[in-house]
Amino acid sequence: MARKIFVSYNFKDKEVSHSVKALLQKHGGKIDGQFVFVTRDVSYEGDAAIDREICRVQSGCDAALFLIGNNSHNSPWINREAQLAKSRDLCIVLARLPGSSGGVPYEFYNSNYSEAEWSEDDLAYYLNQCN
């Protein structure tokens, strides 16, 4: 079971993405893991600041949940999060946000990941496979 789960999302999807925590914790929750998010936009400070912030938040994580929406598939920041998650050999789970049709970030082409449905049971199942 994942103990610390990095959640990747586009800032434009902030409200929906933070609902993942509530989705998984309702009725006592099905995952013991702690969800962590990048919450500070440091893009105005340049690429090095973005890398530092992503690395800081991903530090100690053993899994990464990438929320795929219409705003995320072309995002350079999300692709950088994907690069770093893969380099850290994190267990990667992708989930499509409800009502979205955006593609999987290109960093995941030809990569190993699980794709979960946007449901408490499916997300819990795949995240609980991470260790």
Side-chain angles (χ1 to χ4, degrees):
M1 178 178 296
R3 292 174 304 281
K4 190 173 175 188
I5 304 161
F6 174 79
V7 180
S8 174
Y9 65 100
N10 187 292
F11 279 176
K12 294 177 184 174
D13 298 321
K14 189 174 189 172
E15 288 181 26
V16 173
S17 66
H18 285 286
S19 70
V20 72
K21 186 175 182 177
L23 176 72
L24 293 173
Q25 290 181 340
K26 70 180 183 181
H27 307 298
K30 295 187 177 202
I31 295 180
D32 274 338
Q34 171 192 7
F35 293 96
V36 295
F37 302 83
V38 170
T39 57
R40 295 180 336 140
D41 183 356
V42 295
S43 59
Y44 63 92
E45 295 178 31
D47 291 345
I50 292 171
D51 275 359
R52 281 192 305 274
E53 185 66 8
I54 294 168
C55 287
R56 182 187 70 76
V57 176
Q58 279 188 2
S59 177
C61 289
D62 51 1
L65 173 61
F66 283 80
L67 302 179
I68 308 303
N70 295 335
N71 298 312
S72 61
H73 66 283
N74 288 327
S75 168
W77 192 338
I78 289 176
N79 277 300
R80 185 61 181 141
E81 290 172 341
Q83 287 173 340
L84 291 168
K86 286 171 34 180
S87 75
R88 292 170 177 237
D89 202 28
L90 299 183
C91 175
I92 296 172
V93 177
L94 276 60
R96 190 167 308 282
L97 295 173
S100 67
S101 60
V104 172
Y106 68 83
E107 277 301 319
F108 290 123
Y109 294 172
N110 302 316
S111 294
N112 291 327
Y113 62 85
S114 299
E115 192 161 348
E117 296 292 323
W118 186 260
S119 75
E120 179 182 8
D121 289 337
D122 214 43
L123 285 165
Y125 172 80
Y126 286 104
L127 289 170
N128 285 332
Q129 300 300 313
C130 296
N131 48 9

